[in-house]
Every structure is written in C-alpha cells, then in structure tokens.
C-alpha cells in the first residue's frame, strides 16, 4: 500500500498579497482551474496500490481541505490538524504513526497490483509513504509517476528516498544532492549540500552528479520512524505521544499539546542528511516549487509580449510582466520585468528579479502591525 502524505502546512507568504495565512498558496488556483493541493492529488491517478491520502494541515484550514477534497471526489485516510507548525520532520512522524495503525497496517508489499511502469518492488514492512508538499507544480504527470515507481522499488530495498530534480541552470536558490552510480532508476546519496554560490552552482551543473533537492520523499513508514528515533529522538518521542493523544472525529485527527512539545526541524536536517539509507531518484518532469512570483511567471502561459495578465488589464509597450487585477482595472505603460498584484485590500509593485526579497518586505509590514 502506497499512502500519500500531503503536507499542507505552508503559509505561502512569498505569493503575498494573493496568498494569505487564511488562504495560502496551496489552496489557490494558480496554474489551472484546480488548486495546487488538488493538482497534487490528481497527478497520483494511475499509481498501483494507492491508498487514500493523509493530509497534514493547520487547524485553521480544516474546512478548506475538506471542501477541496470533496470538489475532486477524493477521500482522505486522515485529515491531521496541527495546532501550530513544527516543520516537516514531526509532521511526517505523525503521518507515519497514523499510517502504521488501522486498515493500512501490515498491507504487504508496496506497489502491488497492476503496475505498467515496472516489476514488483519487493516486500516492505507496513505501508510505504509518498510524501509530497501540496504547493508544487509538475508539468509531466506520467514522468512523475514513473519516478515514484522507481522510488517505491528503492524503498523496497530498505532506502529512504528523495526526488532530485534534474537541474536546468546554475541555481543558487536550492539545496543540492550529490549522487553515486545509477542502481536502476535510483542512486545512493553521497551528500546533501546547502545553497551554493553561482560559481559552485555552475560546477555542480557541469559535473552531472548533482540534483536539486525537491522536498518529496518515499520510504516505509516503519523505516522512517526507526531513523527518526535514531537521529532525532525528541521529535520521535513527541510524534509518538501526539499520535497516542490525538482526538479523532471521523477522518479528522486533531493533535494536541503533545505535538507542540516537538522540536521544529525539517526532515532534511533531522533525518535525510544523517541516515546511511538515503537514496535519490532523478526527476525530470517540469517541476517548480512556485516559491516566488517570478517562479510562477515562469510556468504560466504568456502572450506575445511575454506578459502574464489576469484580470481587467491594459499593457502598452510593456513586456515580460506578471499582472493580476482582482478588483479593478490596471494599466501598464512602458514597463518591463515588473510584478503587479492587486487584491481587494493590497497592492504589490516590484521588479520581477526582486521577488525572492518579498519576505523582507512582509517582515517590515509585520513590525508595523499591518
């Protein structure tokens, strides 16, 4: 049984003012008529042995998750409500604990059933988790599913698998993964490296050994809990207590104060960079983490002038812009490479190449209580 674990806890501040704490980017329809969360679920169709997803989200978004699941006819194994975010390592620890109990426990080999993409991956104790952020864009769903099949086979060999994005440019905004020789669709991880400077990023790209760190994972639930206990025992203990003490109402699992006792840490720092079981599957499927307005502009269809225009907009002698007008007419004259996002209450205007600095602007707004 493959159990998708969909992480919906992000606040999406880098797409302000459209994305807000009440309506973060994963629940917005940014690249299609469906939200990013819904697209994440829909691209799983076609995977053999797929169970209902475990969705981990902020308690504030319980209604959003339920409504958007219903809109696409999906049912959740569990909607797990966090009282506050504690990063990905504790969230996945709780999901692994939930997946290991109930009807999916002891379900035998992962990926069983009719799988046109490959052979039987071999037995994995308990369910296999497919951990996915809810706010990524993947253009080629079949290439993604093929990569998942490789990852499930690697998990069957006892590996904790991450997906490494095949780099297309010397990117300084992502962490990197160095890989060893191909083992048949997956490779052993040599090391994880932090965001490099431009010179180092160019060297990584030329070497062909480095992949971008995607934040997506596949592993046995029991395997992850074992490694979490070994390398981050405080997180493991808090996750275990949170599962034991959660309040259940139908498919809604509400975490209490036990979860808040967990240290806040990512799965990369807590487990993946320390474990000797790390493996990576290369993924070349049009991936984008939509981490900025500039990144979103890159993946959307543009007009002849390179503009993305949504709403009542006039653009004259203007090119390579991204403009959203939510509540009024917006006109651009003689401007290139700018982002203009107009919502009912806020207006953002910035150079497109400054979109990574939006966090600094939001910190100033927060200091001014705005």
């Amino acid at each position: 049984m493959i159990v998708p674990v969909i992480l919906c806890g992000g606040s999406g501040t880098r797409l302000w003012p459209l994305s807000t704490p009440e309506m973060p980017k994963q629940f917005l329809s940014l690249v299609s008529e469906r939200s990013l969360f819904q697209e994440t679920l829909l691209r799983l169709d076609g995977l053999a042995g797929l169970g209902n997803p475990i969705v981990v989200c902020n308690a504030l978004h319980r209604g959003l998750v339920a409504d958007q699941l219903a809109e696409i006819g999906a049912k959740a194994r569990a909607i797990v409500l966090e009282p506050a975010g504690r990063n990905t390592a504790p969230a996945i620890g709780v999901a692994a604990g939930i997946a290991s109990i109930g009807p999916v426990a002891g379900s035998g080999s992962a990926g069983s059933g009719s799988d046109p993409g490959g052979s039987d991956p071999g037995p994995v104790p308990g369910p296999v988790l497919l951990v996915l952020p809810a706010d990524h864009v993947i253009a080629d769903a079949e290439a993604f599913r093929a990569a998942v099949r490789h990852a499930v086979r690697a998990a069957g060999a006892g590996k904790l698998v991450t997906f490494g994005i095949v780099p297309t440019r010397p990117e300084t905004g992502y962490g990197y993964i160095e890989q060893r020789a191909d083992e048949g669709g997956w490779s052993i991880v040599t090391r994880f490296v932090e965001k490099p400077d431009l010179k180092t990023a160019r060297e990584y790209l030329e070497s062909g050994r480095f992949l971008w760190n995607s934040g997506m994972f596949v592993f046995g639930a029991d395997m992850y809990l074992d490694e979490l206990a070994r390398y981050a025992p405080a997180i493991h203990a808090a996750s275990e207590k949170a599962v034991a003490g959660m309040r259940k109402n139908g498919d809604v699992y509400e975490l209490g104060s036990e979860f808040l006792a967990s240290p806040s840490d990512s799965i990369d720092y807590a487990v993946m960079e320390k474990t000797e079981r790390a493996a990576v599957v290369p993924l070349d499927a049009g991936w984008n983490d939509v981490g900025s307005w500039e990144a979103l502009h890159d993946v959307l269809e543009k007009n002849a002038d390179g503009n993305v225009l949504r709403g009542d907009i006039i653009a004259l002698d203007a090119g390579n812009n991204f403009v959203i007008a939510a509540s009024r007419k917006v006109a651009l004259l003689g401007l290139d490479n700018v982002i203009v996002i107009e919502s009912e209450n806020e207006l953002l205007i910035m150079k497109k190449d400054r979109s990574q600095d939006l966090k600094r602007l939001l910190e100033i707004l927060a200091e001014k209580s705005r």
Side-chain angles (χ1 to χ4, degrees):
M1 177 69 72
I2 302 174
V3 180
V5 175
I6 313 299
L7 303 177
C8 292
S11 58
T13 54
R14 291 181 180 179
L15 294 189
W16 181 87
L18 210 59
S19 177
T20 65
E22 295 76 23
M23 180 65 81
K25 69 174 181 177
Q26 58 265 32
F27 301 115
L28 296 174
S29 302
L30 296 174
V31 298
S32 72
E33 295 180 354
R34 304 293 191 186
S35 73
L36 296 178
F37 167 59
Q38 290 171 322
E39 292 288 359
T40 299
L41 292 169
L42 290 171
R43 76 173 62 100
L44 300 178
D45 288 349
L47 284 172
L50 195 69
N52 288 337
I54 295 173
V55 181
V56 184
C57 66
N58 190 291
L60 178 67
H61 304 134
R62 171 182 177 175
L64 275 173
V65 168
D67 290 347
Q68 293 201 357
L69 285 169
E71 286 174 6
I72 60 173
K75 294 183 179 180
R77 162 75 170 84
I79 300 174
V80 183
L81 306 181
E82 296 178 317
R86 285 295 182 267
N87 215 316
T88 52
I92 299 168
V94 168
I98 292 172
S100 297
I101 60 178
V104 298
S107 54
S109 62
S112 59
S114 175
D115 183 353
S119 59
D120 183 3
V124 178
V128 169
L129 305 184
L130 169 58
V131 180
L132 303 171
D135 55 1
H136 291 182
V137 170
I138 295 178
D140 188 341
E142 182 47 48
F144 168 72
R145 290 190 290 268
V148 171
R149 295 180 186 111
H150 286 305
V152 171
R153 286 192 284 276
K159 302 303 180 183
L160 277 70
V161 188
T162 185
F163 294 89
I165 306 304
V166 177
T168 57
R169 60 186 183 275
E171 175 63 53
T172 60
Y174 298 140
Y176 283 71
I177 302 167
E178 185 177 13
Q179 60 179 335
R180 289 212 310 253
D182 183 13
E183 300 285 343
W186 57 275
S187 302
I188 298 295
V189 171
T190 301
R191 60 178 173 138
F192 292 83
V193 291
E194 298 294 334
K195 298 174 183 177
D197 58 28
L198 183 58
K199 178 178 179 295
T200 304
R202 285 173 176 157
E203 293 172 355
Y204 288 170
L205 184 64
E206 292 170 1
S207 76
R209 300 192 313 273
F210 290 84
L211 305 165
W212 291 337
N213 193 352
S214 72
M216 301 184 290
F217 306 91
V218 171
F219 36 65
D222 292 343
M223 295 177 193
Y224 177 72
L225 291 173
D226 287 346
E227 297 297 270
L228 189 65
R230 177 174 293 114
Y231 297 110
I235 295 177
H236 179 270
S239 300
E240 193 172 51
K241 291 177 181 177
V243 171
M246 63 190 177
R247 294 179 292 276
K248 185 175 180 293
N249 181 14
D251 61 1
V252 176
Y253 294 65
E254 185 176 358
L255 303 177
S257 58
E258 299 90 349
F259 184 73
L260 297 177
S262 174
S264 179
D265 205 357
S266 71
I267 180 178
D268 294 289
Y269 288 136
V271 175
M272 295 302 294
E273 294 186 8
K274 299 173 182 176
T275 182
E276 297 179 355
R277 295 182 173 186
V280 60
V281 171
L283 177 62
D284 188 2
W287 172 89
N288 192 303
D289 69 346
V290 198
S292 68
W293 284 115
E294 184 178 18
L296 184 57
H297 178 268
D298 288 343
V299 302
L300 293 176
E301 185 176 353
K302 303 162 189 65
N303 66 15
D305 296 318
N307 294 318
V308 175
L309 307 176
R310 290 186 171 182
D312 190 0
I313 300 163
I314 298 173
L316 180 61
D317 296 330
N320 201 31
N321 302 300
F322 189 174
V323 187
I324 293 179
S327 63
R328 70 197 77 185
K329 185 187 296 293
V330 171
L332 266 67
L333 176 60
L335 287 176
D336 298 323
N337 300 305
V338 300
I339 292 172
V340 180
I341 310 297
E342 183 272 330
S343 67
E344 187 174 354
N345 297 312
E346 294 95 6
L347 173 64
L348 171 68
I349 304 172
M350 67 179 177
K351 293 181 178 178
K352 191 152 70 73
D353 62 4
R354 295 294 301 275
S355 61
Q356 291 289 349
D357 297 325
L358 184 56
K359 183 178 179 180
R360 291 169 52 195
L361 178 64
L362 294 177
E363 289 171 350
I364 294 171
L365 290 172
E367 289 172 2
K368 296 180 178 295
S369 300
R370 299 182 65 183

